[in-house]
Amino acid sequence: MLHPSVQLYRNAYSGLSRQIWWLSLVMFINRSGTMVIPFLTVYLIDKGFSLSQAGFVMGAFGAGSIVGGYLGGRLTDSFGHFYIQVISLLLNGVMLILLGQMHTLLQITICIFIVSSFGEAFRPANSAAIAAYSDDTNRTRSYSLNRLAVNLGWGIGPAVGGLLANKSFALLFWADGLTCILAAIVLYLIFISYRSIQAGDHRDNAPVRIRSAYQDQPFLMGMVSIFLVGICFFQMFSILPVYYKDQLGFSKALTGCILAMNGLIIAVMEMVLVYKLEKKRHPVFYMAWGSFLIGASFVLLNLAPLLVVAVFSMVMITLGEMLLFPFMNQFWVNRSSDQNRGQYAAVYTMSFSLAIMLAPTFAAQAAHAWGFPILWILDLIICTVAAIGFLMLKKWNHYE
């Protein structure tokens, strides 16, 4: 009974390149130090700023993430993913430490914008690196391994950050900054010998017509769908904890346990799930079902204000996430080339960044105006529209 399960996990993790494993280690180090952003609002209020001022700072963070995603993609295509990843991590670490030394609202706002810009520039470069070090036989699982590293890191960073915050908020900025710098050093030492195997260096003297991501209509349609799903999905980290507390009466500890299920299920199941599903059906099939399940998970909360319903809803949204995001990476990679992969990764990153910015505002306003039951229904409608958009890509032969 045990042997088939062990073999299944071995198969799911086999066949990935050494570079993909190293990239995942770098991502794990980086995300394990994610401490400042989860506690930034609490930190600002503790320093005497109002909630509206804290919201203004977080808005600057969102704006910086969009700028960083755009510039990161452009620079990746020009200079290659190796240099952009190293420089982004290094400068992000330095700016996080400096952020802890800022005192006025203007200083903090400007600094957080720069922090976010440097930090988000890493994402397109990292996505391009994963594409460069994988192939069609393992690319989806390569992105899933990277997501696994992100989720494991997120499980450690905020938890350690909470312990450090109890002693001193200043420690958060140093810990977060130093882990970014450590990740930059590890990436540099490991990949300096591989730096020629990257998107920015696959060039020759022959003229090549490069398709622009901003003029690729099927790709942009896919990004609209992912943005719509993101508007709903990222409510899990903003409005959903409020719902648990105010409507269901859950304690902070119980809310944290339910949210932690998301990362735990992904860590245990995603690689195996992707291994079993890839090549079995067209990727847009999984993308559409993933979108629908994310929307349905919110509507499920309307059944009854019970713990078992909340738990089942979290399992459903996690299943939708595991179906959508790994195969979504395959979509944009297949439409890009070595010469423009950073640009495609940038648009993909910016779609998420914009959704992260707007999700809390949309959800809060809708819940305030019409109540949570209507908000959950709206989420299902939005995700269903996104699912139809994904299916139309295949119907119109726009998935390459």
Side-chain angles (χ1 to χ4, degrees):
M1 293 291 292
L2 180 62
H3 178 70
S5 298
V6 173
Q7 188 61 44
L8 178 61
Y9 273 86
R10 283 190 61 184
N11 292 341
Y13 285 87
S14 65
L16 304 181
S17 70
R18 181 180 302 176
Q19 295 95 326
I20 291 297
W21 284 98
W22 284 124
L23 284 172
S24 297
L25 173 63
V26 170
M27 181 63 77
F28 174 72
I29 295 172
N30 185 27
R31 295 307 179 195
S32 294
T34 303
M35 302 176 192
V36 170
I37 300 306
F39 293 95
L40 186 58
T41 300
V42 178
Y43 166 77
L44 292 170
I45 293 175
D46 187 67
K47 284 182 68 69
F49 295 105
S50 67
L51 184 59
S52 61
Q53 288 174 320
F56 180 74
V57 172
M58 294 309 295
F61 176 84
S65 68
I66 294 176
V67 172
Y70 173 77
L71 292 178
R74 294 296 296 267
L75 293 172
T76 295
D77 287 336
S78 297
F79 301 103
H81 51 72
F82 169 74
Y83 296 105
I84 302 307
Q85 286 182 97
V86 172
I87 294 172
S88 171
L89 287 171
L90 185 62
L91 293 180
N92 191 41
V94 172
M95 290 305 302
L96 279 166
I97 295 173
L98 288 177
L99 178 61
Q101 314 305 313
M102 300 295 104
H103 301 291
T104 69
L105 181 65
L106 180 60
Q107 290 173 344
I108 293 173
T109 301
I110 293 174
C111 198
I112 198 66
F113 176 85
I114 298 173
V115 165
S116 179
S117 297
F118 284 143
E120 207 66 17
F122 172 79
R123 291 180 183 270
N126 181 254
S127 296
I130 296 171
Y133 295 124
S134 60
D135 55 42
D136 290 339
T137 65
N138 59 25
R139 182 159 291 136
T140 306
R141 285 185 297 128
S142 295
Y143 280 102
S144 290
L145 183 66
N146 192 261
R147 277 173 41 80
L148 172 60
V150 170
N151 280 279
L152 290 177
W154 265 100
I156 294 174
V160 175
L163 296 175
L164 293 177
N166 284 332
K167 295 185 177 181
S168 171
F169 272 113
L171 295 175
L172 295 182
F173 297 95
W174 280 97
D176 203 337
L178 290 176
T179 51
C180 283
I181 294 172
L182 175 61
I185 294 172
V186 172
L187 191 147
Y188 179 84
L189 294 176
I190 292 173
F191 283 90
I192 187 66
S193 59
Y194 296 120
R195 66 188 184 280
S196 63
I197 313 175
Q198 53 173 308
D201 290 333
H202 287 309
R203 305 175 186 273
D204 52 42
N205 294 324
V208 178
R209 185 177 183 273
I210 301 174
R211 177 170 58 187
S212 170
Y214 301 97
Q215 297 176 352
D216 185 348
Q217 293 185 1
F219 168 71
L220 294 176
M221 177 179 173
M223 292 304 99
V224 170
S225 290
I226 202 68
F227 166 74
L228 292 175
V229 177
I231 284 286
C232 304
F233 174 77
F234 289 114
Q235 293 174 32
M236 182 171 68
F237 306 106
S238 56
I239 202 68
L240 196 56
V242 175
Y243 174 79
Y244 287 159
K245 176 181 177 295
D246 294 345
Q247 302 297 313
L248 303 185
F250 293 169
S251 66
K252 293 179 181 178
L254 181 57
T255 296
C257 289
I258 296 174
L259 293 175
M261 289 176 54
N262 175 259
L264 179 62
I265 294 172
I266 289 173
V268 174
M269 296 297 300
E270 182 170 307
M271 287 291 290
V272 174
L273 182 67
V274 170
Y275 170 73
K276 294 293 288 184
L277 293 180
E278 63 179 346
K279 309 300 183 185
K280 298 290 180 62
R281 299 289 297 268
H282 200 287
V284 296
F285 174 82
Y286 303 123
M287 291 154 56
W289 267 108
S291 301
F292 178 78
L293 287 175
I294 289 172
S297 69
F298 289 105
V299 168
L300 193 65
L301 295 170
N302 285 340
L303 293 180
L306 300 174
L307 174 61
V308 65
V309 175
V311 169
F312 193 70
S313 171
M314 183 56 62
V315 172
M316 185 180 291
I317 195 173
T318 305
L319 177 59
E321 178 185 359
M322 292 190 295
L323 287 174
L324 172 61
F325 295 135
F327 292 99
M328 191 67 206
N329 280 303
Q330 185 177 342
F331 165 70
W332 72 261
V333 170
N334 284 355
R335 297 198 66 82
S336 64
S337 65
D338 288 338
Q339 289 75 28
N340 63 7
R341 188 152 291 143
Q343 189 179 117
Y344 274 79
V347 179
Y348 182 59
T349 298
M350 288 189 291
S351 299
F352 276 109
S353 298
L354 189 59
I356 292 172
M357 279 184 62
L358 297 181
T361 302
F362 161 75
Q365 293 298 324
H368 177 74
W370 305 304
F372 283 101
I374 299 300
L375 170 62
W376 304 147
I377 293 173
L378 288 175
D379 286 340
L380 175 60
I381 293 173
I382 292 171
C383 287
T384 301
V385 170
I388 294 172
F390 286 134
L391 291 175
M392 290 175 68
L393 294 175
K394 181 174 185 295
K395 180 179 179 180
W396 294 343
N397 296 316
H398 281 161
Y399 189 97
E400 296 181 359

